[in-house]
Amino acid sequence: MVEVTLIEASRRAALQEMRRDERVWVLGEDVARGGLWGQYKDFLAEFGEQRVVSTPISESTIMGAGLGSALVGQRPIIEMRIFDFVMCAMDELVNQIAKIRYMFGGQAKPAVVVRMPHGMWRNSAAQHSQMLEAWFAHLPGVVVVTPATPADTAGLLVQAIRSDDPVLFFDPKDLFWVNGEISEPIEPIPFGVARKVAEGDAATVVTWSAAVPVATKGAELLATHGIKVDLFDLRTIWPWDEGAVIASVKKTGRLLVVHEAVEVAGFGAEIVARVVDQIGPANLKAAKRLAAPRIPVPFAPPLEAQVRLSPEKIVNAVKALIGA
Amino acid sequence: MSDPGDNLRRLTDLYRTMARIRAFEETALAAHKAGEIPGPLHVSIGQEAVAAGICLNLRRDDRLTSNHRGHGHAIAKGADPKRMMLELYGREGGYCRGKGGSMHIADFSVGMLGANGVVAGGIPIAVGAAQGLKMQGSDAIVTCMFGDGAVNRGPFLEGLNWAVLFKLPVLFVCEDNGVAAFTRAASVTAGPGVTDRAKALGVAAITIDGNSAMAVDDAASTAAAAVRRGEGPRLLHVRTYRITGHTSTDAAAWRPQEEVEEARSRDPIARLGAVLAERGVAPSELGKMIEDAHAEMAEARKGASAAAWPEPGVAFEDVQDTGAVAWSKSH
């Protein structure tokens, strides 16, 4: 085990896989100089300019060229710089990558990983702070990975690079400098298995990505008031660990889904609907979502705080849920 | 280098390929009119010399990306018309198991990386495939077929820029039939056009007569060889004419009849037939090639119309390995 930052954990995962499999290559803006956050630091020297390719600012072609290389047998890591720029490559992602295996009857193997540093991040305003992961959970043909810790980022990135499915990897950029332990070598973590962060029977709290440490803090505060909750970090929202969540709600009878993204039509709605469908409304005493208002993310710190989750908001939401 | 036009067998191959493409699409059109083929059908009648002339210069392991009007490209690259027809009918045994249809014919076993329902969609994919092949040390090349409408989309600029920067083995082919769906391309394209745009990015580009199979073959031979030598991308701007409408249901009555008649007088199959006749091929031999092509496609139609539909469960396959099957089973 070694203690590293989350971004370093991701660097070591990609490094391990590029050493293991020479078909793996990385393309995106500024990746040859190490990437925007050092997630590819020293890669150029080790792997050369054919496998570590700094590209023009041409998101459509970064995405589409990654796919094209996969169609001849390479395994690209497509770096989108930050999540918000994926919108410049939506045809290549939605119409091509997500569809090509299906509409060609299984002939194509779009084994791509699309890395998208994601979420709210230090007063970066509306075009550098978005959380739209629910869009992609809605899109058949892709896996949606939303880790929150160094260990999970490393293990899930290894799994993503080895996967034959297209994997959309939402790097949690607000957590890049958080420390944590990772194993060496890094073992893959299967998709669709939640991590249980806390144990309790007052309510079930489900979350992912940058909301995880906030919810963890909230659960700790609740515990000091004698309220213990089951807290799950889903880690991947498609597939998501329906079994673990449903088993927990059967025990607690109460569900709170916490996410950074806008509440309206967010993935929390899917989880609540699915739980109601599976256990029946009679077995559910209460279900709530705690998420962002339907506004773009503003710049000024006090305005941004309107969007941001806090441990206190989670404490209040759980208390309201259980009528405490 | 010898003039490929001198080679009678080569010209005969070109003729046969064009005859098969024409027969396939005429058969498909008839089947569509008879209600046997569902969905939109974009045929390329009149444009056969482009597909035939380009693909004659490609190896089986060369890759090709195509657009929504890609039947000819697929046949010329070596795809099996029987399996193509099954796909047009949406039947089991079709290339895409009934999940793609006319717009998504692909045959990876012959390097045909797929037709595309989005204009210019194949361009970034082609440059990426070329980059992958280069990484692998392969001398295979990628041909990227797109229409005149595609040059006004961003991926055209991005893709050419990219191919030059990384000196990729891509043969770009702009198949210019003058019409982007229903709109005259010239009325929506600024400046002097595609070759100038390509040259501005450092891509050697020429315009050729796309209704002359010999001219296309000749230009493709030179360009593909340069690309294969590692000299970077080339672009061929191939002028042709779409005899039929945008889709099978478009009678193209919006075009002056004289224009269509004039184009028919330049029909690429008849033109090459005249050359072959001049060089001593008997008219009966030419006729036989056309007849054989129609017989082959009639057989394909018969097989497709009698074939079984895919099992309903096929709809749930080929989505993704993780997280698809479980959902369909739980509902």
Side-chain angles (χ1 to χ4, degrees), chain A residues 61 74 96 102 107 141 165 238, chain B residues 108 116 136 158 315 321-323:
Chain A
T61 301
Q74 299 299 110
Q96 315 293 344
Y102 190 80
Q107 292 182 71
D165 285 325
W238 198 269
Chain B
F108 280 41
N116 207 304
Q136 294 161 8
E158 289 191 8
D321 292 330
T322 317

Side-chain angles (χ1 to χ4, degrees), chain A residues 25 50 53 55 58 60-61 64-65 68-69 72 74 91 96 101-107 141-143 165 238-239 274, chain B residues 95-96 99-100 104 106-108 113-114 116 118 124-125 128-129 135-136 158 162 166 315 317-318 320-323 330-331:
Chain A
W25 68 297
Q50 289 226 15
V53 180
T55 66
S58 300
S60 292
T61 301
S69 79
V72 299
Q74 299 299 110
D91 172 60
Q96 315 293 344
R101 177 173 167 189
Y102 190 80
M103 71 187 185
F104 293 165
Q107 292 182 71
V142 298
V143 171
D165 285 325
W238 198 269
R274 192 74 186 138
Chain B
Y95 271 116
C96 312
K99 292 187 274 196
H104 303 300
D107 181 355
F108 280 41
L113 298 185
N116 207 304
V118 179
I125 296 173
M135 257 179 269
Q136 294 161 8
E158 289 191 8
W162 189 288
F166 300 114
E317 295 172 7
D318 306 318
Q320 55 189 94
D321 292 330
T322 317
S330 71
H331 279 69

Side-chain angles (χ1 to χ4, degrees), chain A residues 7-26:
Chain A
I7 197 70
E8 174 63 11
S10 80
R11 191 186 79 91
R12 292 185 185 208
L15 187 64
Q16 171 183 304
E17 292 308 295
M18 285 186 69
R19 283 175 179 163
R20 188 187 61 82
D21 183 348
E22 65 175 19
R23 298 171 302 169
V24 181
W25 68 297
V26 56

Side-chain angles (χ1 to χ4, degrees), chain A residues 118-133:
Chain A
H118 166 250
M120 287 177 62
W121 185 55
R122 294 194 283 110
N123 318 112
S124 299
Q127 294 174 338
H128 284 58
S129 303
Q130 291 175 86
M131 296 80 63
L132 295 172
E133 68 273 24

Side-chain angles (χ1 to χ4, degrees), chain B:
Chain B
M1 194 171 156
S2 71
D3 176 7
D6 289 339
N7 185 332
L8 193 61
R9 200 158 90 192
R10 190 173 180 88
L11 295 190
T12 309
D13 284 348
L14 273 175
Y15 188 82
R16 188 181 298 107
T17 302
M18 288 197 288
R20 291 176 75 227
I21 295 169
R22 176 76 55 94
F24 180 88
E25 293 201 314
E26 285 180 351
T27 304
L29 265 184
H32 194 274
K33 285 204 175 95
E36 294 169 26
I37 290 177
L41 186 73
H42 306 83
V43 296
S44 61
I45 289 172
Q47 304 181 190
E48 296 87 351
V50 186
I54 298 289
C55 292
L56 192 60
N57 293 283
L58 303 180
R59 302 192 316 224
R60 188 186 172 95
D61 68 336
D62 288 334
R63 311 306 205 271
L64 181 141
T65 65
S66 176
N67 57 7
H68 58 286
R69 203 177 299 286
H71 303 141
H73 309 148
I75 290 173
K77 190 71 182 70
D80 174 3
K82 280 201 178 69
R83 294 193 61 194
M84 287 175 62
M85 198 67 85
L86 282 163
E87 189 56 40
L88 265 54
Y89 274 75
R91 303 303 168 98
E92 190 57 64
Y95 271 116
C96 312
R97 313 181 73 201
K99 292 187 274 196
S102 159
M103 262 190 296
H104 303 300
I105 301 291
D107 181 355
F108 280 41
S109 72
V110 298
M112 198 325 197
L113 298 185
N116 207 304
V118 179
V119 169
I123 297 176
I125 296 173
V127 299
Q131 201 156 4
L133 291 169
K134 191 176 176 184
M135 257 179 269
Q136 294 161 8
S138 165
D139 71 337
I141 69 170
V142 182
T143 296
C144 179
M145 310 289 288
F146 53 91
D148 43 86
V151 306
N152 290 326
R153 285 209 62 232
F156 172 75
L157 168 68
E158 289 191 8
L160 263 65
N161 181 61
W162 189 288
V164 171
L165 280 179
F166 300 114
K167 215 172 178 194
L168 298 176
V170 188
L171 176 59
F172 293 104
V173 179
C174 178
E175 192 170 9
D176 182 356
N177 60 24
V179 196
F182 302 95
T183 298
R184 302 275 178 185
S187 71
V188 289
T189 305
V194 59
T195 51
D196 283 59
R197 290 185 187 186
K199 286 174 191 169
L201 291 162
V203 180
I206 55 168
T207 296
I208 54 173
D209 177 359
N211 277 29
S212 163
M214 292 163 72
V216 177
D217 179 24
D218 197 27
S221 163
T222 306
V227 170
R228 203 180 302 280
R229 282 194 303 271
E231 293 175 17
R234 292 282 186 279
L235 183 140
L236 297 177
H237 172 227
V238 188
R239 283 192 192 284
T240 183
Y241 192 85
R242 193 182 74 199
I243 297 287
T244 41
H246 173 52
T247 64
S248 53
T249 52
D250 168 27
W254 45 279
R255 293 188 304 201
Q257 200 48 40
E258 312 83 73
E259 178 186 303
V260 183
E261 289 311 317
E262 195 274 331
R264 281 189 194 280
S265 75
R266 290 183 285 111
D267 185 290
I269 299 180
R271 271 175 75 179
L272 186 60
V275 172
L276 284 167
E278 232 170 69
R279 298 194 184 179
V281 179
S284 60
E285 263 188 69
L286 297 175
K288 177 80 167 42
M289 278 191 269
I290 305 259
E291 274 169 37
D292 285 353
H294 277 283
E296 181 191 6
M297 302 314 164
E299 187 67 27
R301 178 181 179 180
K302 203 172 138 195
S305 60
W309 294 104
E311 292 294 323
V314 168
F316 292 92
E317 295 172 7
D318 306 318
V319 180
Q320 55 189 94
D321 292 330
T322 317
V325 178
W327 188 90
S328 64
K329 279 184 181 158
S330 71
H331 279 69

Side-chain angles (χ1 to χ4, degrees), chain A residues 167-318:
Chain A
V167 178
L168 309 187
F169 201 93
F170 288 81
D171 287 284
K173 67 179 182 288
D174 207 31
L175 306 179
F176 277 174
W177 310 111
V178 170
N179 282 293
E181 283 194 332
I182 62 169
S183 64
E184 285 187 321
I186 298 159
E187 294 299 326
I189 294 173
F191 300 137
V193 181
R195 184 172 60 90
K196 198 167 201 179
V197 181
E199 179 92 33
D201 54 13
T204 302
V205 180
V206 178
T207 190
W208 56 88
S209 192
V212 171
V214 189
T216 305
K217 186 86 182 146
E220 286 165 9
L221 286 173
L222 283 163
T224 65
H225 302 177
I227 301 166
K228 290 191 169 175
V229 296
D230 263 359
L231 173 61
F232 291 96
D233 170 4
L234 288 183
R235 305 198 288 190
T236 66
I237 64 162
W238 198 269
W240 66 282
D241 196 343
E242 199 178 300
V245 172
I246 284 168
S248 172
V249 179
K250 278 182 178 164
K251 176 181 78 175
T252 65
R254 291 181 167 85
L255 172 66
L256 176 71
V257 186
V258 181
H259 57 68
E260 229 192 1
V262 166
E263 183 173 291
V264 175
F267 197 68
E270 170 66 24
I271 294 174
V272 172
R274 192 74 186 138
V275 167
V276 171
D277 181 58
Q278 290 298 295
I279 72 171
N283 297 313
L284 190 64
K285 298 190 189 84
K288 293 275 184 199
R289 290 166 292 163
L290 176 65
R294 194 172 181 279
I295 56 174
V297 177
F299 163 68
L303 300 183
E304 195 192 65
Q306 300 293 318
V307 178
R308 256 186 208 286
L309 295 165
S310 68
E312 293 71 27
K313 285 180 182 173
I314 288 164
V315 167
N316 292 338
V318 170

